[in-house]
Amino acid sequence: MAADPRTRLQAALGETVALHEHMRQHAQPVLEAAAAVAAAMRGGGKLLLFGNGGSASDAQHVAAEFVGRYQRERAAMAAVAMTADASVLTSIANDYTFERVFARQIEALGRPGDVALGISTSGASPNIVAALEAARALGLQTIALTGGDGGAVGRAAAIHVNVPSAAVPRVQEVHRTLLHVLCDLVERAFA
């Protein structure tokens, strides 16, 4: 029997609030991620973002916040969403495999001093793991933003921000909040 709409609404909001509260108590990785991105930007580096599905959209959203602005007028900051170029994505997927779509871009665009930020609600995305491994091999700082228990994606990054839930919509909601906090903290570092 389906729950009535009011009950479902209250449950969804309650789940999201509980996860946000959890992140308040486990904020250190978020602070470390912001410090790493700010240090990269200060040193002339860039932020390379990637994810699949809704996380691809999140990567593009965050890149736009850095290149444009989040809330403050400031100089543009170098950020690239490696999810936005259909020609690059499909050529790599066709010529290599879909597992290489982000790793190959890291190899082309990443330099020491840059930050690679992979987003995976499951923590199990092979193409995110491959990209983080490629980034680490090239000397980039690596950050994973995950759900579930973080899985292989979390283990592949130097900084792991985990939203511990198997409910993908709830993870995505908290990811978006954390990504906005990241933008805010980095922007304030340059104020």
Side-chain angles (χ1 to χ4, degrees):
M1 182 163 156
D4 73 90
R6 181 176 301 279
T7 301
R8 188 59 215 133
L9 170 65
Q10 294 299 325
L13 292 174
E15 291 166 15
T16 298
V17 168
L19 285 170
H20 278 85
E21 285 297 330
H22 173 85
M23 296 312 299
R24 286 176 62 159
Q25 303 304 315
H26 298 88
Q28 190 58 38
V30 177
L31 299 173
E32 291 171 10
V37 173
M41 301 283 189
R42 213 175 268 112
K46 63 189 163 300
L47 177 61
L48 300 171
L49 301 122
F50 43 95
N52 298 296
S55 298
S57 297
D58 288 343
Q60 290 172 228
H61 177 97
V62 171
E65 300 287 21
F66 280 114
V67 173
R69 67 169 183 192
Y70 178 62
Q71 292 186 318
R72 301 172 183 277
E73 287 300 326
R74 46 129 174 104
M77 296 178 179
V80 177
M82 297 189 309
T83 57
D85 190 327
S87 295
V88 169
L89 289 170
T90 58
S91 70
I92 295 169
N94 185 63
D95 294 347
Y96 298 93
T97 66
F98 190 71
E99 188 172 315
R100 300 283 305 149
V101 294
F102 302 129
R104 187 72 173 169
Q105 291 181 75
I106 291 282
E107 293 163 1
L109 302 172
R111 300 292 176 265
D114 293 344
V115 173
L117 194 164
I119 308 168
S120 173
T121 59
S122 68
S125 307
N127 58 357
I128 305 298
V129 173
L132 290 169
E133 289 172 348
R136 189 175 53 242
L138 290 170
L140 280 69
Q141 176 62 272
T142 55
I143 301 169
L145 182 58
T146 67
D149 67 1
V153 172
R155 290 188 298 275
I159 299 170
H160 180 203
V161 179
N162 178 248
V163 178
S165 174
V168 171
R170 304 295 83 87
V171 171
Q172 289 174 326
E173 291 154 3
V174 179
H175 277 185
R176 289 181 186 122
T177 299
L178 295 175
L179 289 166
H180 277 159
V181 169
L182 176 75
C183 292
D184 183 52
L185 294 174
V186 172
E187 213 170 61
R188 286 175 185 272
F190 287 86

